[in-house]
Amino acid sequence: MPGGGSNVAARAPGPEGDLHVPLILEERGKEEEPLKVVLGRKLKKRCSWSPARAAALLLDSVPILKWLPQYRIKDWLLGDVMSGVIVGILLAPQSIAYSLLAAQDPIYGLYTSFFSCIIYTFMGTSRHISVGIFGVLCLLVGQVVERELAVAGYVTDVQGNRTGLGSLENGTFPDCDRSCYAIIVGSTVTFTAGVYQVLMGLLQVGFVSVFLSDSLLSGFATGASLTILTSQLKYLLGLKLPRTQGWGSLIKTWIGLLGSLDQTNMCDLITSVLCLLVLVPTKELNERFKSKLKAPIPFELFVVIATTLASHFGHFKEQYGSEVSGHIPTGFMPPQLPAWSLIPRIALDAFSIAIVGFAITVSLSEMFAKKHGYVVDPNQEMYAIGFCNIIPSFFRCFVTSAALTKTLVKESTGCQTQLSSLVTALVLLLILLVIAPFFYSLQKCVLAVIIMVNLRGALRKFCDVPRMWRANRVDAGVWLLTMATSALVNTELGLLLGVLASAFCVLARTQRAQTLQLGQSGDRDVFKELTAYKGLQTLPGVAAFRYEAPIYYANQTLFKKSLYRNTGLDPVKERARRKRLERGKKQEEERKGAEQSPEASSGNFLPHALPFHTLIIDCGPVLFLDTAGVAALKEVRKDFQEFGVQLLLAQCNTSTIDSLRRGGYYDPETGNVERIFHTVGDAVRYGQSLLSQNDVY
């Protein structure tokens, strides 16, 4: 065949008489290039420059240049405009609300949503996801901001009033009040997280998202949602409490809330209850009838308008002490550089934020791409979300990522391309230039209610725990651990423990793998586990076992123990017994000078004769072998050969065969010639033919 070698099965006539000749497949020749040549070729490919390569690189880096010339105006424009307008209307109140969670003024939430929509339109590969403010990331940013505010001396007194500089002197930003310093910290975190994401894109590590399992991300989001919910209760009750920091912040917050219930602001409480009574059922109606509605009804916007008017004309701030959003300026502020001196202190926090933001964005983009039949590039998504953080950080913005609820709204309202995000940006621009100051009297408790209502999806995951437990207890355990740690201890620690728990579970599955004896189904070439199926037959003179895991350094000892236990032969114990018998024989000869006992002189030191002369290991589930794995197989072969048993390996994949060859498992000089059995049945027939040839090793 062209390309080297045939894959046609053949049987070679052997000189061994009736000895079964195994199936032989001619391997294709492999030309292994030296590492220097491979690296040189890849480097040349990466560094070569031509007009065609420059154009391809530009199209890959700015995907809008690919799909915009092919835009179908008649088919797509109406859906993109409608979805963009609706998402913009829904996004405005949520952007203001989530600014509270990030410890920022409302205007910065609008800035963040505006810039991220524009940048992702040009650089993203997903047609449907909506990039903007995401609650979990806002929580993480807010924790860093509050910590740095305390370090810099911006304090919150016991009544919850935010003051300027405390005992520390802020020499880096001497004319900066608390709000100014908060956005400096937030934008610096955003810049650093964006740099991490772009660097990961350059290093082509987009694949890391696969290591964050769905159960891990779901548990993390649910645990963070509990922390978010708890942090917003003080606004719902109108309590002026400082934001708790450190481990166990959820428990500390609840203790503070319960101890301050007598200070509840009744105006805020009544407003919050009324908003909940309106938003919860209307959100459910929107969700239930989403297939019949052309677009979800923006009840959040109606509630914001109604409560703002009520607060303004009812003078809630002056008469009842209700906390309001305050002045929201129009237009844009001049750009500013990140605070370089802060980066060493927030670098670790920014890394975890970058990982979470990227993982959520890629998982959502791949989910919707699969649903609608197109492909996204994880590395380009890394670039896109990275620049959605780097560029806006110069314009007083905080971290963004894809958001599920707004993505679902875009999809359900006819979105076809990211042109809808440009329409959303235009709606936000109108709010920034004209409408923003009218939200002066909007109560913060209303914003807190909007945040809490939008957490329903994550909190509903608790209802899925019994189903998850029935489906897969390992995944359910990872979910519970990640959720509990994120909520009760620390959000970043919850993510870390979730990753470690997932990795440990994968490792534990290879550690718990068992060696299972196989039986044959009648005269068919089907071999399955004796413990799993009825009616299987063992084979005379041959024992077949399957090890259902890779054999590598971490489990090679367990593999040997399991195999020895199931075959009924422990070579270590048998060698010890042989030595004892030899010592006993010598002592008896010295004492009596008589003939050797039959047991001592026979040379057979096994307590019972083994029922097989050939041991077969089905290596089909063995995905790979490392050096320790090859050494373990060598040791097993040597141990069984010592007691007259031939070891055969069946169904090895090409990677395993290569590892065996490189590791010196096949060595003709020692009599261990290379025999490859592509099926268990082939190995069984070969083993049975050994007995008829009296060729037992």
Side-chain angles (χ1 to χ4, degrees):
M1 282 182 68
S6 170
N7 60 352
V8 179
R11 290 185 181 274
E16 299 171 307
D18 294 333
L19 188 64
H20 175 75
V21 180
L23 178 70
I24 299 173
L25 296 177
E26 186 178 353
E27 298 182 17
R28 293 182 180 272
K30 296 180 181 179
E31 296 181 2
E32 294 189 4
E33 294 181 286
L35 181 61
K36 183 178 179 180
V37 176
V38 174
L39 292 177
R41 187 178 66 251
K42 291 186 175 182
L43 190 61
K44 183 179 179 181
K45 182 180 177 182
R46 291 282 180 187
C47 299
S48 62
W49 193 257
S50 66
R53 177 163 174 76
L57 184 61
L58 180 62
L59 291 175
D60 290 340
S61 302
V62 189
I64 191 175
L65 298 176
K66 288 183 179 179
W67 59 261
L68 190 58
Q70 304 170 7
Y71 191 84
R72 296 188 290 203
I73 297 177
K74 292 183 179 180
D75 298 333
W76 296 346
L77 185 60
L78 181 60
D80 283 342
V81 171
M82 180 182 292
S83 63
V85 170
I86 293 169
V87 171
I89 292 172
L90 294 174
L91 196 56
Q94 291 183 14
S95 299
I96 296 173
Y98 281 110
S99 299
L100 284 181
L101 199 55
Q104 306 295 339
D105 289 347
I107 188 64
Y108 302 128
L110 294 171
Y111 287 165
T112 301
S113 297
F114 172 76
F115 284 107
S116 61
C117 285
I118 294 176
I119 296 169
Y120 190 82
T121 299
F122 286 88
M123 301 193 67
T125 58
S126 173
R127 302 176 192 169
H128 294 87
I129 66 169
S130 174
V131 172
I133 295 176
F134 183 59
V136 174
L137 295 181
C138 289
L139 172 69
L140 297 175
V141 171
Q143 290 175 342
V144 179
V145 170
E146 292 286 353
R147 185 192 69 206
E148 293 302 318
L149 286 172
V151 170
Y154 296 94
V155 295
T156 304
D157 60 26
V158 238
Q159 286 78 32
N161 300 316
R162 295 173 176 178
T163 66
L165 288 175
S167 57
L168 296 179
E169 181 182 356
N170 188 348
T172 310
F173 306 97
D175 300 325
C176 199
D177 61 9
R178 187 186 191 282
S179 170
C180 168
Y181 193 69
I183 191 57
I184 286 174
V185 176
S187 60
T188 304
V189 172
T190 302
F191 173 82
T192 310
V195 169
Y196 281 136
Q197 290 166 335
V198 170
L199 287 176
M200 287 189 282
L202 288 171
L203 296 174
Q204 303 285 297
V205 292
F207 66 89
V208 297
S209 62
V210 303
F211 295 102
L212 302 177
S213 64
D214 291 340
S215 57
L216 185 152
L217 289 175
S218 174
F220 175 73
T222 304
S225 297
L226 288 176
T227 305
I228 294 170
L229 179 71
T230 302
S231 69
Q232 297 307 297
L233 285 176
K234 66 178 182 179
Y235 297 109
L236 187 142
L237 299 173
L239 299 175
K240 297 180 178 179
L241 298 174
R243 190 168 184 167
T244 55
Q245 292 290 321
W247 289 13
S249 59
L250 183 139
I251 298 173
K252 295 176 186 176
T253 302
W254 273 104
I255 293 173
L257 288 171
L258 295 175
S260 306
L261 286 178
D262 56 334
Q263 302 172 20
T264 300
N265 186 306
M266 296 307 297
C267 176
D268 284 345
L269 178 60
I270 293 171
T271 304
S272 302
V273 171
L274 292 175
C275 291
L276 284 170
L277 291 175
V278 172
L279 286 178
V280 172
T282 53
K283 283 274 190 179
E284 294 295 330
L285 288 174
N286 264 339
E287 193 167 324
R288 179 167 296 184
F289 297 105
K290 63 182 178 182
S291 58
K292 299 180 180 180
L293 294 171
K294 291 185 177 180
I297 304 172
F299 288 107
E300 289 176 343
L301 182 63
F302 299 156
V303 166
V304 166
I305 293 172
T307 53
T308 301
L309 292 174
S311 175
H312 176 73
F313 292 106
H315 304 289
F316 288 174
K317 179 182 179 182
E318 294 79 7
Q319 293 192 14
Y320 306 106
S322 183
E323 197 171 358
V324 298
S325 297
H327 175 63
I328 303 178
T330 57
F332 294 90
M333 300 180 187
Q336 68 176 12
L337 292 173
W340 310 114
S341 59
L342 285 175
I343 291 179
R345 295 211 298 270
I346 54 88
L348 189 59
D349 303 286
F351 182 75
S352 61
I353 290 172
I355 293 293
V356 173
F358 163 70
I360 292 169
T361 301
V362 170
S363 60
L364 284 181
S365 60
E366 288 183 340
M367 180 176 71
F368 283 91
K370 195 177 297 181
K371 182 177 180 181
H372 292 277
Y374 61 93
V375 178
V376 294
D377 182 359
N379 287 308
Q380 180 59 29
E381 288 297 296
M382 189 88 84
Y383 288 129
I385 201 64
F387 282 107
C388 281
N389 287 321
I390 291 177
I391 297 175
S393 69
F394 295 97
F395 297 91
R396 297 174 172 82
C397 300
F398 47 90
V399 180
T400 57
S401 73
L404 177 61
T405 53
K406 292 182 280 293
T407 301
L408 290 172
V409 170
K410 283 184 68 172
E411 183 201 30
S412 64
T413 51
C415 170
Q416 298 293 331
T417 68
Q418 282 299 329
L419 190 66
S420 63
S421 294
L422 286 182
V423 178
T424 300
L426 290 176
V427 174
L428 293 171
L429 181 63
L430 176 65
I431 294 171
L432 280 166
L433 296 178
V434 180
I435 304 174
F438 294 102
F439 292 118
Y440 175 89
S441 298
L442 177 60
Q443 294 167 270
K444 289 188 176 181
C445 64
V446 177
L447 301 177
V449 169
I450 291 173
I451 293 174
M452 294 168 69
V453 170
N454 281 292
L455 296 175
R456 292 172 306 122
L459 297 177
R460 279 178 182 159
K461 293 293 182 181
F462 284 106
C463 301
D464 295 336
V465 172
R467 179 188 58 80
M468 286 192 294
W469 186 261
R470 290 192 297 270
N472 191 307
R473 293 187 178 184
V474 173
D475 287 343
V478 171
W479 188 93
L480 289 169
L481 174 66
T482 308
M483 182 276 301
T485 310
S486 300
L488 300 176
V489 185
N490 180 272
T491 46
E492 291 90 345
L493 182 64
L495 178 64
L496 177 62
L497 281 184
V499 171
L500 293 177
S502 297
F504 177 77
C505 289
V506 173
L507 181 63
R509 288 175 183 178
T510 67
Q511 297 288 304
R512 295 179 58 190
Q514 296 295 318
T515 303
L516 304 173
Q517 187 171 5
L518 304 180
Q520 187 175 12
S521 175
D523 57 353
R524 298 186 179 185
D525 207 8
V526 176
F527 295 85
K528 293 294 181 180
E529 300 87 351
L530 289 173
T531 56
Y533 299 95
K534 297 179 180 179
L536 299 179
Q537 303 170 356
T538 56
L539 306 165
V542 177
F545 291 86
R546 174 181 295 146
Y547 188 68
E548 299 187 328
I551 304 174
Y552 63 112
Y553 71 95
N555 70 347
Q556 51 94 13
T557 302
L558 298 174
F559 158 70
K560 290 185 291 185
K561 287 182 178 179
S562 176
L563 182 63
Y564 294 153
R565 181 174 63 252
N566 285 279
T567 56
L569 171 65
D570 188 334
V572 176
K573 292 182 179 179
E574 289 302 321
R575 289 193 193 97
R577 180 181 177 277
R578 175 174 291 185
K579 289 180 180 179
R580 287 198 303 270
L581 289 174
E582 288 178 351
R583 285 197 301 269
K585 180 188 68 173
K586 290 180 180 179
Q587 291 174 0
E588 189 171 343
E589 287 178 349
E590 293 174 357
R591 185 174 62 253
K592 294 183 177 180
E595 293 182 355
Q596 299 178 7
S597 65
E599 183 182 5
S601 61
S602 64
N604 179 15
F605 297 101
L606 295 177
H608 302 287
L610 285 174
F612 56 88
H613 57 77
T614 301
L615 174 65
I616 299 170
I617 298 179
D618 178 6
C619 296
V622 180
L623 299 180
F624 64 89
L625 291 170
D626 66 355
T627 306
V630 175
L633 287 174
K634 286 182 181 179
E635 185 178 345
V636 169
R637 181 182 61 190
K638 179 182 176 183
D639 289 339
F640 280 101
Q641 282 181 346
E642 186 177 343
F643 298 104
V645 177
Q646 169 80 350
L647 176 66
L648 305 177
L649 305 180
Q651 296 198 128
C652 297
N653 59 45
T654 54
S655 171
T656 302
I657 293 173
D658 288 341
S659 298
L660 291 170
R661 289 169 177 165
R662 290 194 301 268
Y665 181 83
Y666 300 117
D667 187 2
E669 294 182 1
T670 59
N672 297 309
V673 297
E674 180 175 322
R675 291 190 181 95
I676 297 176
F677 301 95
H678 297 287
T679 66
V680 176
D682 213 13
V684 167
R685 287 186 287 274
Y686 180 83
Q688 289 176 332
S689 68
L690 288 175
L691 184 60
S692 62
Q693 289 286 317
N694 195 23
D695 190 17
V696 179
Y697 287 79

